[in-house]
Amino acid sequence: MAYDGIMMHQVKNLLIETIKGGRINKIYQISKYELLFQVRANKKNYQLLISSHPMYARVQLTSLSYPTPESPNPLTMLYRKLLEGGYIKDIEQIDLDRIFKITFSCHNELGDYIEYVLYVEVMGKHSNIILVGQNDKIIDCIKHISPSMNSERFLQPGALYQLPPMMEKLDPFTNEFVEDNQLTKIYQGMSPILSKEILYRIDQDESFKEIMKEIENSQNLYITKVNDKEYFHVIELTHLQGETSKYSLFDGLDTHFNEIDQKERIKQQTSNLLKFIQNEYQKNTSKLKKLKATLDDSHNSDDYRIKGDLLYASLHLIQKGMTHVVVDNYYDNTKLDITLDPKLDPKANAQKYYQKYQKAKNSINVLLEQIDLTEKEIEYFDSLIIAMSQATYYDALEIKEELENEGYLKKKKQKNTIRKKKRPQFQQYLTKDGIEIDIGKNNLQNDYLTFKYAHRYDMWFHAKDMPGSHVIVKAQDLDEYTIRLAAKIAAYYSKGKNSSSVPVNYTLVKTLKKPAGSKPGKVILDNYKTIYIDPDDEFLQELTKK
């Protein structure tokens, strides 16, 4: 990551241009480490994201959609009480260090003018967001640091805010070049990767002054990919010699952090969900093995009947108190040693074997029923594991909701809130021919797509005999290109994603039926065709989001 002091300098300049003077309409704490401010400025609405994440801390404007809690926590309520309705008076950076100082002009409950300062410290695992009131007294912060944790600089309500210790370094925008193989030691705000880029460019006969001027004038972000890893800065990182894409500054930060944020959000909000699903899958797999072993034993129940028959035929050989008897086995003309209960008489011993036989015989039907139910459970949780492997934050929440609806997880009680039933958030795309293709990423989405959203003459695609997405093509008489494209999507979003020649079934929606009492996502097919396809993600380039 290269969200260094120099990048923050450019972010600050752009924030001043766009939201300085803006009004704070709403504040949300969208995760353990992040605040989202909704700002109205210059007749436009903006979202200011402030993150203190140990690895991805940053400040930026974002156009991404972030999940907001249904009810605010105490920190959010405090920030809302003090800052909502106020204005952003100033946005500053402490030298070129990674510290933002955002000043808000507000009015208290009595109508008196008052200023608050929000310090955002972007310092790796020590990153923090601190709201300070009059006389530099801390009102609250997103991470509390007690005196026992840091005796020199503790951060908690009531303490006096003081800046972290600063190192004496040169400002690269106003000072000449000082030759050194690590410019991070010489200049403020410079990350190692930017240092390497500047030294590389100087070796290519560019001047330090020209490079810093390019940085000063940049409102772009350059993302360079090297071996599937991304690096970024406000100038192109030519020394990496990778594939580079250019974006406007905030769009670039959105592009880089979007997937990271999704994974992090899933991890934070549904950290135990995947573990629960995997445990249920393993539990049922073990149960199935035991049931099948018991079934094998039950299939040997005829042994009990034979022993009962032979004991009745040999009552004259048995006396109460005997522990075993050797009888003639007229079924195969051999001798058979049969264990007896010494407490029972001969007829009772024979009857005991008949009872064992009847019990084993009756248990076969129960075992077959249990095996069928367990196999369905394994199939169900296997489908959830596949869904979780490709889930966005919202997909994961819907999977959690599904498990609650099915009784696997306990629903949390909502206090005095009326929740509107939301439509599952399936993905919608358009092909180059303008045909709509819809993709279900979990069982709730699959059910909704197939049985509520789709028209009866739309075409339905699904990987054969494996868990995966329902794919709906909202068109009739599909050409070969569209059939192959939809099949490729269905194969990619299935358990066969990493296989080749994946079979994909397709049929009209009107031929599908929902099995009575079945789990979400299950369908019965009739009159379908099958196509074999090699899955890959190239189809994403052929689609545009609707």
Side-chain angles (χ1 to χ4, degrees):
M1 179 174 169
Y3 195 90
D4 56 19
I6 288 178
M7 173 167 286
M8 286 183 71
H9 179 264
Q10 298 309 103
V11 168
K12 177 204 70 175
N13 291 341
L14 207 48
L15 289 176
I16 289 170
E17 283 183 29
T18 48
I19 63 168
K20 184 177 176 181
R23 185 178 188 272
I24 307 302
N25 286 337
K26 206 72 177 174
I27 301 171
Y28 298 97
Q29 183 170 358
I30 56 175
S31 77
K32 182 180 177 182
Y33 303 110
E34 296 167 307
L35 297 176
L36 189 71
F37 287 68
Q38 292 184 349
V39 183
R40 178 72 177 175
N42 302 314
K43 300 181 180 179
K44 290 183 181 179
N45 294 321
Y46 295 94
Q47 292 188 119
L48 176 64
L49 176 68
I50 302 176
S51 171
S52 62
H53 190 281
M55 293 178 67
Y56 313 118
R58 64 196 186 280
V59 179
Q60 66 164 107
L61 295 181
T62 179
S63 57
L64 297 177
S65 175
Y66 284 93
T68 54
E70 290 179 8
S71 54
N73 61 13
L75 181 75
T76 308
M77 290 173 69
L78 176 63
Y79 277 40
R80 285 181 178 181
K81 178 184 175 183
L82 300 178
L83 302 181
E84 280 185 5
Y87 293 84
I88 298 175
K89 180 182 178 183
D90 203 2
I91 302 170
E92 304 167 79
Q93 182 182 12
I94 307 302
D95 294 329
L96 283 178
D97 217 322
R98 290 181 295 170
I99 303 173
F100 268 142
K101 179 184 177 183
I102 305 174
T103 305
F104 299 90
S105 56
C106 308
H107 289 85
N108 63 19
E109 292 171 340
L110 301 174
D112 299 326
Y113 178 81
I114 189 168
E115 288 186 359
Y116 299 102
V117 174
L118 192 71
Y119 287 96
V120 185
E121 300 178 355
V122 179
M123 297 177 174
K125 66 179 182 179
H126 302 296
S127 298
N128 212 335
I129 304 167
I130 305 137
L131 184 63
V132 174
Q134 292 177 320
N135 303 318
D136 291 330
K137 191 173 284 189
I138 295 173
I139 297 170
D140 210 344
C141 43
I142 210 159
K143 298 177 191 174
H144 289 186
I145 309 297
S146 65
S148 60
M149 297 166 71
N150 189 332
S151 58
E152 294 183 8
R153 187 173 184 263
F154 53 95
L155 302 170
Q156 56 187 22
L160 291 179
Y161 177 79
Q162 53 183 342
L163 290 168
M166 303 288 181
M167 292 183 68
E168 289 288 334
K169 292 184 182 180
L170 300 176
D171 183 337
F173 291 109
T174 57
N175 284 274
E176 297 296 323
F177 178 60
V178 177
E179 194 165 343
D180 196 288
N181 59 1
Q182 290 185 36
L183 301 183
T184 53
K185 297 178 180 177
I186 308 296
Y187 297 104
Q188 298 174 13
M190 198 171 288
S191 58
I193 200 163
L194 182 60
S195 170
K196 288 176 184 176
E197 177 61 24
I198 291 172
L199 291 173
Y200 176 80
R201 289 189 178 208
I202 287 172
D203 286 343
Q204 307 299 312
D205 294 330
E206 286 189 51
S207 74
F208 181 72
K209 206 168 190 176
E210 287 172 348
I211 299 166
M212 293 312 301
K213 189 175 181 182
E214 183 183 344
I215 290 172
E216 183 78 73
N217 294 331
S218 176
Q219 291 189 343
N220 298 314
L221 193 80
Y222 297 83
I223 299 176
T224 302
K225 275 191 179 181
V226 180
N227 298 327
D228 292 329
K229 192 172 180 181
E230 288 187 352
Y231 304 86
F232 62 84
H233 219 288
V234 295
I235 59 171
E236 187 176 353
L237 300 171
T238 55
H239 75 279
L240 295 176
Q241 298 182 352
E243 182 184 336
T244 300
S245 302
K246 178 183 175 183
Y247 304 88
S248 63
L249 182 52
F250 294 135
D251 284 347
L253 290 171
D254 274 348
T255 300
H256 175 77
F257 285 107
N258 185 25
E259 189 174 344
I260 294 170
D261 276 350
Q262 291 279 9
K263 289 178 180 177
E264 193 67 25
R265 225 165 289 284
I266 292 171
K267 187 178 175 182
Q268 284 183 35
Q269 303 292 341
T270 58
S271 56
N272 297 322
L273 184 58
L274 180 58
K275 189 176 180 181
F276 172 80
I277 293 168
Q278 289 171 333
N279 285 344
E280 288 295 308
Y281 178 83
Q282 290 298 331
K283 185 173 76 176
N284 281 284
T285 303
S286 299
K287 182 181 176 182
L288 184 62
K289 287 179 182 177
K290 291 175 183 175
L291 287 170
K292 286 184 173 179
T294 307
L295 182 64
D296 287 341
D297 290 342
S298 298
H299 280 139
N300 297 325
S301 59
D302 269 356
D303 289 348
Y304 297 130
R305 180 185 58 79
I306 290 168
K307 287 178 180 178
D309 289 346
L310 296 176
L311 287 176
Y312 263 112
S314 309
L315 290 176
H316 61 285
L317 299 175
I318 309 169
Q319 292 181 6
K320 189 174 181 179
M322 292 175 63
T323 57
H324 67 93
V325 65
V326 178
V327 300
D328 290 323
N329 185 351
Y330 50 76
Y331 286 100
D332 60 5
N333 296 319
T334 61
K335 296 287 186 183
L336 182 63
D337 190 339
I338 301 175
T339 302
L340 300 174
D341 186 338
K343 296 177 184 177
L344 302 177
D345 62 31
K347 284 186 179 180
N349 266 296
Q351 194 60 37
K352 186 176 181 180
Y353 275 103
Y354 281 133
Q355 288 170 354
K356 284 184 176 182
Y357 163 70
Q358 198 59 46
K359 185 179 178 182
K361 187 179 175 184
N362 292 341
S363 71
I364 288 175
N365 291 332
V366 176
L367 285 167
L368 288 172
E369 185 181 328
Q370 286 296 312
I371 285 170
D372 181 57
L373 289 172
T374 305
E375 286 176 339
K376 285 176 180 174
E377 289 288 282
I378 290 169
E379 183 183 353
Y380 175 63
F381 283 104
D382 190 26
S383 75
L384 294 184
I385 289 170
I386 298 303
M388 282 295 290
S389 70
Q390 305 184 79
T392 64
Y393 172 81
Y394 292 105
D395 296 335
L397 284 188
E398 288 176 350
I399 292 169
K400 188 177 181 183
E401 180 186 343
E402 177 187 334
L403 288 168
E404 290 172 346
N405 293 340
E406 293 295 310
Y408 292 103
L409 293 176
K410 190 176 178 181
K411 286 187 179 182
K412 286 186 178 179
K413 289 183 180 179
Q414 299 293 330
K415 294 181 181 177
N416 302 323
T417 55
I418 300 172
R419 290 188 66 181
K420 271 190 174 180
K421 186 68 179 172
K422 292 180 182 177
R423 185 184 90 167
Q425 299 193 15
F426 57 88
Q427 293 183 356
Q428 294 182 286
Y429 293 96
L430 294 175
T431 70
K432 64 181 182 181
D433 301 316
I435 297 172
E436 181 181 328
I437 294 184
D438 305 306
I439 307 167
K441 297 286 291 299
N442 57 48
N443 291 324
L444 288 182
Q445 293 178 17
N446 286 342
D447 267 6
Y448 182 86
L449 260 181
T450 301
F451 295 108
K452 291 188 178 179
Y453 182 78
H455 186 273
R456 55 191 278 105
Y457 289 102
D458 292 340
M459 195 64 79
W460 179 91
F461 290 75
H462 190 281
K464 184 179 181 180
D465 299 331
M466 64 180 77
S469 294
H470 291 200
V471 176
I472 300 293
V473 181
K474 299 192 73 61
Q476 300 176 31
D477 302 321
L478 304 185
D479 58 18
E480 184 183 350
Y481 167 78
T482 308
I483 290 172
R484 292 186 66 81
L485 177 62
K488 193 173 281 191
I489 295 169
Y492 183 80
Y493 290 113
S494 78
K495 194 172 183 178
K497 176 180 178 178
N498 298 316
S499 306
S500 59
S501 196
V502 175
V504 175
N505 295 332
Y506 63 101
T507 184
L508 290 173
V509 169
K510 70 174 186 175
T511 69
L512 301 171
K513 292 180 182 177
K514 180 76 179 168
S518 66
K519 299 282 188 191
K522 293 291 290 181
V523 297
I524 297 174
L525 281 76
D526 187 27
N527 192 26
Y528 61 88
K529 295 179 180 178
T530 304
I531 183 174
Y532 290 82
I533 206 86
D534 293 331
D536 59 53
D537 60 359
E538 290 180 3
F539 69 86
L540 292 169
Q541 299 170 10
E542 302 175 46
L543 299 172
T544 54
K545 278 199 172 183
K546 187 178 176 185

